Amino acid sequence: MKRRLLLSILLLPVLLYATAYDGTDDQLQGMGVSGIALGGGYGGMFANPATLTGGAGTFSLMSRFNDSYEAGRTVINTPSSSVLASFRGNNLAFTMEMHNVMDERQTVSDGDQYKATAYTRLQLDWGYSFSRFSVGLSFKTTTSMQLSPATINNGQRISDYIVQAFFERYEQVYGATSLTAGFGLYYDNDWLTIGIVSNQFALATTDGTISFSFMDLYRSFGAGFAFSTPTYAPDSQLNFIKATFSAELLNAGDPDEAQTRAGLDLTFQLLPEYQVSLRTGYHDTKDGNGVQNLNLQTAYNSFGVGVRLGDFRLNLSTDIPITLYLGEEVSSIPFSLVFGYVK
């Protein structure tokens, strides 16, 4: 018990300190969008590699913790966490990420058992711009390992989660290492930006599968646009409020996984490097109900607040099921906590 408590104390700063997971910039979580039409952020290339152009080199160190609130339960219900380091240049970025997910929960007498999956991702992004247009390519290799069951005991759920997620022996899954390639296009007209992406037009796995599929490209096709007010006024003074609105359609060719996303960000620019942001948005998954239709049964209303203090970022966000507003009971409300350092 004392050893697990000591591990919890030592690892807590690591769990609470780094950014984005698999195509999502942590700044955009509260908006409910992925950011394929939003450039300028330090994590934009996770959604659209074409946004990776211009600017000075950047080093990012991020950590995220996701869980859900469930009535009558304590912490660590549907946990996942990630630690990410990214090195970004003018046209290239290299990212390393470790991500752990616990799902398929089964309640036992003294706690819960999960299937735990640990992912290791290496990602290379390239972008090139000409005039107001940019193109980009993304190459990502993902290796997964599993542990089942992972046991979280009541009374020591935080320490058990840290031990099960980071110190237990995970088993390699045959054929679970894959290499995917995607591309992006981006148009920037200052106040209007447009993005187009396909997250997978090529796939190779360690079980011998190699494919270049037009259908995969079509299924993962996404498009979006964004409007932003100026950062600076005509007299070169910093505008106190900067507003950004973005809307997207993701996985347009997949009738089950297609998503509608839209969000608003209001950033209060106290100083160029000291900001507070309030965010809200909407997103749903179609589940075969037609890309053109909203699906309120799978829809969420996102909320978020972000604080930037120089090189440090803190972002909090949550997703409220739309069905809660319709008078239905909901089993859980997910939330996310992200700490970041960007230099």
Side-chain angles (χ1 to χ4, degrees), residues 84-122:
L84 176 150
S86 184
F87 306 85
R88 171 176 176 167
N90 292 337
N91 298 96
L92 284 173
F94 177 69
T95 302
M96 300 171 290
E97 181 182 19
M98 293 180 294
H99 183 73
N100 184 279
V101 177
M102 291 192 180
D103 55 12
E104 298 184 12
R105 183 179 69 195
Q106 294 184 345
T107 300
V108 294
S109 58
D110 296 326
D112 296 304
Q113 291 184 339
Y114 298 83
K115 182 186 78 172
T117 306
Y119 300 94
T120 301
R121 290 186 173 89
L122 300 177

Side-chain angles (χ1 to χ4, degrees), residues 30-260:
M31 290 179 68
V33 299
S34 69
I36 61 177
L38 291 170
Y42 57 86
M45 71 273 191
F46 297 120
N48 187 348
T51 63
L52 179 64
T53 56
T58 301
F59 168 70
S60 305
L61 178 63
M62 312 276 172
S63 70
R64 173 192 301 275
F65 176 73
N66 298 312
D67 202 359
S68 62
Y69 167 78
E70 299 182 16
R73 294 182 59 90
T74 58
V75 295
I76 313 298
N77 296 307
T78 56
S80 67
S81 57
S82 61
V83 177
L84 176 150
S86 184
F87 306 85
R88 171 176 176 167
N90 292 337
N91 298 96
L92 284 173
F94 177 69
T95 302
M96 300 171 290
E97 181 182 19
M98 293 180 294
H99 183 73
N100 184 279
V101 177
M102 291 192 180
D103 55 12
E104 298 184 12
R105 183 179 69 195
Q106 294 184 345
T107 300
V108 294
S109 58
D110 296 326
D112 296 304
Q113 291 184 339
Y114 298 83
K115 182 186 78 172
T117 306
Y119 300 94
T120 301
R121 290 186 173 89
L122 300 177
Q123 183 167 332
L124 179 67
D125 295 287
W126 169 85
Y128 179 79
S129 64
F130 48 94
S131 184
R132 293 185 177 274
F133 295 88
S134 302
V135 297
L137 293 173
S138 178
F139 300 93
K140 180 183 354 182
T141 179
T142 304
T143 299
S144 61
M145 303 179 71
Q146 290 185 348
L147 170 66
S148 183
T151 303
I152 306 296
N153 293 302
N154 295 330
Q156 52 191 41
R157 297 185 69 85
I158 295 178
S159 59
D160 277 359
Y161 171 67
I162 293 174
V163 171
Q164 295 290 309
F166 297 97
F167 290 95
E168 287 291 345
R169 181 182 178 86
Y170 281 64
E171 299 296 331
Q172 183 78 39
V173 179
Y174 176 72
T177 299
S178 63
L179 172 65
T180 59
F183 81 94
L185 302 174
Y186 185 66
Y187 170 77
D188 185 352
N189 192 27
D190 296 329
W191 60 274
L192 169 66
T193 54
I194 300 173
I196 296 174
V197 298
S198 176
N199 295 325
Q200 181 176 311
F201 67 84
L203 170 68
T205 64
T206 51
D207 63 2
T209 301
I210 300 176
S211 64
F212 295 86
S213 172
F214 175 79
M215 287 305 301
D216 286 341
L217 185 151
Y218 173 63
R219 280 192 290 265
S220 64
F221 175 82
F225 67 90
F227 295 99
S228 299
T229 60
T231 302
Y232 292 93
D235 59 359
S236 299
Q237 296 296 313
L238 191 69
N239 285 325
F240 179 60
I241 298 179
K242 179 180 176 65
T244 301
F245 172 80
S246 181
E248 304 170 341
L249 176 62
L250 303 181
N251 302 321
D254 189 325
D256 294 323
E257 298 300 325
Q259 301 176 14
T260 297

Side-chain angles (χ1 to χ4, degrees), residues 253-310:
D254 189 325
D256 294 323
E257 298 300 325
Q259 301 176 14
T260 297
R261 293 178 173 264
L264 175 67
D265 177 290
L266 294 178
T267 296
F268 299 88
Q269 303 183 117
L270 310 178
L271 290 171
E273 294 185 353
Y274 291 83
Q275 303 170 351
V276 177
S277 299
L278 301 179
R279 303 161 182 141
T280 187
Y282 168 94
H283 62 96
D284 67 18
T285 303
K286 302 308 177 184
D287 280 349
N289 290 315
V291 173
Q292 73 281 2
N293 299 318
L294 298 181
N295 186 5
L296 298 183
Q297 294 301 312
T298 63
Y300 288 89
N301 184 192
S302 300
F303 295 95
V305 58
V307 177
R308 177 185 177 186
L309 299 175

